[in-house]
Amino acid sequence: MRQRLPSPFDPARRRGLAAAAVATLCVLGATAQAASPSVVPLDVDVSVPPAAIRSGEMRHFLYEMRLSNFASREIALAQLDVVADDGRLLARFAASDLAGMLAVPGQAAGTPSGRLAPGSFGTLFIEVQVPVDAAPPRVLSHRLSIAGPTDADSSRVQLDGPRVAVASSSQVAVLGPPLKGGDWLVANGLSNDADHRRTQVVLDGQARIAQRYAIDLVKLDAGGRAFKADATQNAAWAGYAEPVLAVADGAVVSVRDQLPDNTPGQLPEGRISLDTIAGNAVILDVGQGRYVTYGHLIPGSVTVSPGQTVTKGQVIGKLGNSGQSDAPHLHLHVADAPSPLAAEGLPYTFECHRPRGTVTSLEAVMEGKPASRSSKDHAPRSDQLPVDNDVIAFCE
């Protein structure tokens, strides 16, 4: 057991000093003539700046706000306004919205409340969408309100800040196609509530979201089905064994190639660890501090080795169903470190893809039914990222 060193400061004395400090603040607040500073007892932090990711006619800004409750009482979130640097109101989230956006460590999944217990903290997952024909914001400002008496002074229920600079466009990687042609269903893709987006993992003393912009790509056949015949056979899935391509010139950092494929529709056999969660995987260093992770490849299909250089479009493996996977698909994401989870997810787009509709029911597709799609413009899109449940074809 680690021995606790004696403190030179008496706890009672510290409490007295804290009380004196609060009293001083009260006196200052009473005498100040300018706008009173907020005394809402929340510490607010945005550690990873948002980037503008275009998809169709909208720009998407995804980021997280850490809220820590310094009060001895519960705090209920009431409203959040997001404002551009030119004063435009970009988004307004009501209490019901915030309840679904707030994740509190230790809180059971599926029980959103929008509340923070005394001394607790939570992560507010935010997505702001701005039409592409509007000026893109350079800075996002925030006004957060909490529940309180209707006659309460605004300084007690309203917090202005923080101001968050938007990442420059140069910080968004532009990738070549990871797969050939199409049709590819984008599952768990760009959205504020996808599983990837909400997977916050603590490793080496840091809570990070490596899969912030991750996508899963599931192939659909000419009839719009993900599989035919016996769905428990990997070979019945349209995408199984499809060649996986390097999305940029780069160097191979790590490879795993000997994990077995799973049986579709079943949980993986054996214990999934940090080393095996991505299954058979390749991580590429594509420069500028960016690492591309490819997951769930077929065992024995990887064609590259650590230290090897690759060129964009080169085949590096085949799409499979290994690791934390229950159906053949390709997992893809970009991060700031060569690790599937111990990294921060970085923004990216694809050089070119062609929209092929949006699936209206992912569950139906996974049951083997033909994909029912809403109509979309099929013109090619450059430097964009498809959103959750889009169907796309990569440009050849």
Side-chain angles (χ1 to χ4, degrees):
M1 178 182 292
R2 184 179 177 181
Q3 185 177 5
R4 182 178 178 183
L5 296 177
S7 171
F9 301 105
D10 177 64
R13 181 172 178 269
R14 288 204 305 271
R15 288 194 294 270
L17 289 172
V22 172
T24 302
L25 286 174
C26 291
V27 172
L28 290 174
T31 58
Q33 298 302 314
S36 300
S38 170
V39 293
V40 172
L42 287 176
D43 179 72
V44 182
D45 178 62
V46 176
S47 59
V48 179
I53 304 294
R54 181 172 176 180
S55 186
E57 299 307 310
M58 304 297 288
R59 289 189 179 93
H60 299 251
F61 301 81
L62 273 69
Y63 57 107
E64 302 83 44
M65 182 179 288
R66 175 72 66 89
L67 304 176
S68 300
N69 181 3
F70 275 65
S72 58
R73 60 180 176 83
E74 182 182 76
I75 289 179
L77 306 182
Q79 183 172 293
L80 175 66
D81 288 349
V82 183
V83 181
D85 40 309
D86 59 8
R88 283 174 295 153
L89 178 65
L90 301 178
R92 171 166 288 170
F93 302 102
S96 57
D97 302 316
L98 297 172
M101 294 160 58
L102 182 68
V104 179
Q107 186 180 78
T111 57
S113 66
R115 297 172 178 270
L116 288 171
S120 71
F121 72 92
T123 301
L124 200 60
F125 290 88
I126 302 172
E127 179 185 19
V128 174
Q129 297 186 28
V130 178
V132 295
D133 57 3
R138 295 171 298 178
V139 175
L140 300 179
S141 296
H142 303 83
R143 171 165 289 179
L144 180 63
S145 301
I146 65 172
T150 56
D151 59 349
D153 184 270
S154 62
S155 67
R156 297 184 176 277
V157 294
Q158 186 173 288
L159 173 65
D160 287 328
R163 286 171 51 85
V164 180
V166 175
S168 68
S169 59
S170 65
Q171 293 177 273
V172 181
V174 180
L175 307 181
L179 297 157
K180 295 180 178 180
D183 290 347
W184 294 100
L185 167 61
V186 178
N188 293 315
L190 186 68
S191 74
N192 200 39
D193 55 4
D195 287 346
H196 291 146
R197 167 83 176 107
R198 299 295 183 103
T199 302
Q200 194 169 28
V201 179
V202 180
L203 291 171
D204 292 331
Q206 284 187 267
R208 291 174 283 197
I209 305 176
Q211 303 175 89
R212 184 176 285 107
Y213 300 101
I215 58 175
D216 290 335
L217 293 162
V218 179
K219 190 169 188 180
L220 303 180
D221 64 16
R225 291 181 170 87
F227 60 86
K228 291 182 178 178
D230 185 358
T232 65
Q233 300 299 310
N234 283 306
W237 289 73
Y240 188 71
E242 283 283 322
V244 175
L245 313 177
V247 293
D249 296 346
V252 179
V253 178
S254 68
V255 166
R256 181 177 284 274
D257 193 34
Q258 299 302 318
L259 295 173
D261 272 328
N262 303 315
T263 300
Q266 297 182 18
L267 294 175
E269 293 184 8
R271 181 176 177 272
I272 292 294
S273 68
L274 294 175
D275 290 331
T276 62
I277 192 168
N280 298 311
V282 174
I283 298 181
L284 297 182
D285 179 351
V286 296
Q288 297 182 305
R290 298 179 178 125
Y291 299 86
V292 181
T293 294
Y294 301 79
H296 313 308
L297 306 179
I298 290 178
S301 73
V302 175
T303 60
V304 294
S305 303
Q308 180 180 339
T309 58
V310 297
T311 57
K312 185 168 71 173
Q314 179 178 337
V315 175
I316 61 173
K318 293 182 179 180
L319 183 151
N321 186 27
S322 55
Q324 186 67 43
S325 172
D326 61 1
H329 72 282
L330 175 67
H331 172 97
L332 181 82
H333 74 257
V334 181
D336 65 358
S339 169
L341 293 176
E344 283 289 3
L346 298 178
Y348 64 94
T349 58
F350 291 124
E351 283 179 344
C352 182
H353 71 273
R354 187 182 297 272
R356 303 280 288 167
T358 299
V359 168
T360 55
S361 173
L362 181 61
E363 291 75 16
V365 173
M366 293 299 103
E367 291 172 359
K369 299 174 183 177
S372 176
R373 312 182 198 180
S374 60
S375 60
K376 264 192 176 182
D377 177 16
H378 287 188
R381 293 179 177 175
S382 300
D383 300 348
Q384 298 190 34
L385 190 66
V387 298
D388 199 26
N389 291 342
D390 273 357
V391 179
I392 65 170
F394 290 105
C395 303
E396 307 244 359

